[in-house]
């Protein structure tokens, strides 16, 4: 409990506002050294799986020309977002668990918070775009190539990134304008907004409500858009006469639907449910699900539940030994002295 009342040793006027806090202390997951080491190994394993899996998806999509379609173009961007999403928080958490250095500069904390919400918001928009893509593919298959042209896909992706960049700016401005004069302990494993607001020296009720409304607007609007797309998809699938046809058509959506359920289920609980803010310990567990576990599971979900991805991955893995053999043969055929 003593940590919760730790004050900054050096008073310094922050150039952004009247704060005297120059750095924050991220509490992380308190526990014994054995617990810290176990958590470090666990989070490191998940982080490496997430990065490796998402890179594998991006490379597979790039190398297989059959995957150069809107659906996989969006999936490649989702993988890129997931890598950035985990890289914003997990490396710092690993550093805290390994070295016990829990401090983060004031500006670094605010930057981490903004980048995290920028990428998270962009993912919300991109998941809605992917749902729309499936809606057009299933409900209007004959017009799909016309509606989802390369130009349209490009602008949908750009719009998702721009929306992700702009939407959190208001929340970032509201937080950065608050005075922080101590305590400076963030009861989380990254600089999330709710625990930061608890550390402000003024009443943040209006700020909390404004950020809550903004979060609800972005999260619920993209979620409802995704939901509406899938409502039309389900209606269209139910009109298919054969059960085999229904199963085959819906199977193209199951991977995306699984990801949407995992992501929105935790994000809505975290940022749209008012009761979720009352327990920061519970919030940390929920945050681990959508910021670490979901990006780790996404590559497995898309590769294991998607036949095209599995075929493309198998094809690349089969080619790899041939490429190695060809390289070795070329190396052996070189005149002596040229192989070094």
């Amino acid at each position: 409990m003593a940590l919760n009342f730790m004050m900054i040793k050096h008073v310094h006027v922050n150039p952004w506002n009247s704060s005297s806090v120059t750095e924050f202390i991220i509490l992380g997951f308190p526990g014994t050294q054995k617990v810290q080491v176990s958590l470090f190994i666990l989070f490191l394993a998940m982080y490496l799986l997430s990065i490796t899996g998402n890179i594998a998806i991006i490379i597979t999509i790039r190398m297989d020309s059959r995957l150069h379609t809107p659906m996989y173009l969006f999936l490649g961007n989702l993988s890129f977002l997931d890598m950035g999403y985990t890289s914003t928080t997990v490396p710092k958490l690993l550093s805290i668990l390994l070295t016990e250095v829990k401090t983060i500069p004031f500006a670094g904390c605010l930057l981490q918070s903004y980048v995290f919400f920028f990428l998270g918001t962009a993912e919300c928009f991109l998941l809605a775009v992917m749902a729309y893509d499936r809606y057009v593919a299933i409900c209007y298959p004959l017009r799909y190539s016309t509606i989802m042209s390369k130009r349209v896909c490009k602008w949908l992706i750009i719009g998702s990134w721009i929306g992700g960049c702009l939407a959190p700016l208001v929340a970032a401005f509201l937080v950065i304008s608050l005075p922080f004069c101590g305590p400076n302990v963030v009861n989380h494993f990254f600089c999330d907004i709710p625990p930061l607001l608890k550390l402000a020296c003024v009443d943040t009720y209006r700020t909390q409500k404004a950020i809550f409304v903004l979060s609800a607007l972005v999260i619920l609007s993209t979620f409802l858009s995704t939901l509406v797309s899938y409502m039309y998809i389900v209606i269209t699938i139910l009109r298919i006469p054969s059960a085999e046809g229904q199963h085959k058509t819906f199977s193209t959506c199951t991977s995306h639907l699984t990801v949407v359920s995992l992501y929105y289920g935790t994000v809505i609980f975290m940022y749209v449910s008012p009761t979720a803010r009352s327990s920061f310990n519970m919030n940390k567990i929920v945050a681990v699900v959508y910021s670490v576990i979901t990006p780790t599971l996404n590559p497995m979900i898309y590769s294991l539940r998607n036949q095209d991805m599995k075929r493309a991955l198998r094809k690349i893995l089969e080619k790899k030994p041939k490429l190695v053999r060809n390289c070795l043969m070329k190396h052996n055929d070189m005149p002596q002295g040229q192989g070094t």
Side-chain angles (χ1 to χ4, degrees):
M1 293 297 293
L3 272 175
N4 293 328
F5 299 99
M6 186 179 293
M7 302 295 288
I8 292 298
K9 294 179 180 179
H10 303 287
V11 175
H12 172 71
V13 178
N14 193 288
W16 297 100
N17 52 31
S18 58
S19 298
S20 59
V21 169
T22 59
E23 61 184 16
F24 289 102
I25 297 172
I26 300 179
L27 191 59
F29 298 94
T32 63
Q33 187 176 5
K34 187 176 180 180
V35 171
Q36 299 289 300
V37 171
S38 299
L39 288 174
F40 174 81
I41 294 170
L42 177 63
F43 282 112
L44 178 62
M46 287 193 291
Y47 180 63
L48 292 176
L49 276 173
S50 175
I51 296 298
T52 305
N54 283 300
I55 288 176
I57 284 180
I58 292 171
I59 291 173
T60 302
I61 291 170
R62 187 173 181 84
M63 290 183 66
D64 195 321
S65 59
R66 292 174 300 179
L67 300 182
H68 295 176
T69 62
M71 175 181 172
Y72 295 103
L73 182 63
F74 297 141
L75 176 56
N77 273 266
L78 180 66
S79 294
F80 190 78
L81 278 171
D82 280 340
M83 286 194 295
Y85 204 47
T86 53
S87 297
T88 304
T89 58
V90 177
K92 178 60 181 177
L93 174 59
L94 293 174
S95 174
I96 291 171
L97 293 170
L98 186 65
T99 66
E100 295 280 326
V101 178
K102 299 184 177 184
T103 56
I104 184 171
F106 183 93
C109 186
L110 296 180
L111 179 63
Q112 184 192 51
S113 179
Y114 172 74
V115 173
F116 181 80
F117 286 102
F118 155 44
L119 295 173
T121 305
E123 184 153 336
C124 286
F125 286 119
L126 190 60
L127 288 173
V129 166
M130 292 174 75
Y132 174 72
D133 172 69
R134 292 299 83 205
Y135 157 72
V136 176
I138 292 172
C139 299
Y140 300 98
L142 299 179
R143 296 172 55 194
Y144 178 75
S145 58
T146 304
I147 297 173
M148 298 301 293
S149 63
K150 288 184 178 180
R151 178 183 173 85
V152 170
C153 292
K154 181 182 75 173
W155 282 110
L156 285 173
I157 291 170
I158 291 172
S160 297
W161 283 92
I162 292 175
C165 181
L166 296 179
L169 282 177
V170 175
F173 175 77
L174 290 172
V175 174
I176 206 171
S177 62
L178 293 171
F180 295 90
C181 46
N184 66 328
V185 178
V186 180
N187 188 9
H188 214 300
F189 64 89
F190 71 98
C191 292
D192 200 3
I193 288 180
L196 280 178
L197 294 179
K198 291 287 184 181
L199 302 178
C201 302
V202 295
D203 182 18
T204 60
Y205 177 79
R206 290 184 178 180
T207 304
Q208 289 182 49
K209 288 299 179 185
I211 293 174
F212 173 79
V213 170
L214 288 168
S215 301
L217 185 63
V218 171
I219 294 169
L220 293 181
S221 62
T222 53
F223 176 67
L224 289 174
S225 173
T226 303
L227 202 60
V228 168
S229 294
Y230 273 101
M231 283 175 59
Y232 281 104
I233 287 171
V234 170
I235 291 170
T236 302
I237 289 174
L238 291 176
R239 290 175 180 169
I240 298 174
S242 67
E244 184 181 351
Q246 291 179 356
H247 175 74
K248 186 177 179 181
T249 305
F250 192 72
S251 65
T252 63
C253 306
T254 52
S255 299
H256 181 253
L257 197 55
T258 304
V259 170
V260 167
S261 302
L262 283 170
Y263 185 74
Y264 277 108
T266 50
V267 168
I268 289 174
F269 173 84
M270 189 71 179
Y271 298 106
V272 180
S273 172
T275 57
R277 301 172 188 273
S278 60
S279 173
F280 284 121
N281 290 328
M282 175 61 73
N283 287 359
K284 279 191 270 189
I285 296 171
V286 175
V288 167
V289 174
Y290 71 80
S291 65
V292 183
I293 295 176
T294 301
T296 303
L297 292 177
N298 282 359
M300 289 183 277
I301 292 170
Y302 278 109
S303 60
L304 294 177
R305 297 183 65 89
N306 188 299
Q307 295 299 323
D308 292 335
M309 282 296 300
K310 284 196 287 187
R311 279 194 294 267
L313 280 168
R314 196 180 300 115
K315 185 179 177 182
I316 291 172
L317 291 174
E318 287 173 355
K319 278 185 176 180
K320 190 175 179 180
K322 294 178 182 178
L323 291 172
V324 173
R325 284 198 300 271
N326 290 336
C327 288
L328 289 173
M329 288 174 65
K330 286 180 181 179
H331 179 79
N332 292 332
D333 291 339
M334 284 184 180
Q336 290 184 356
Q338 291 187 20
T340 56

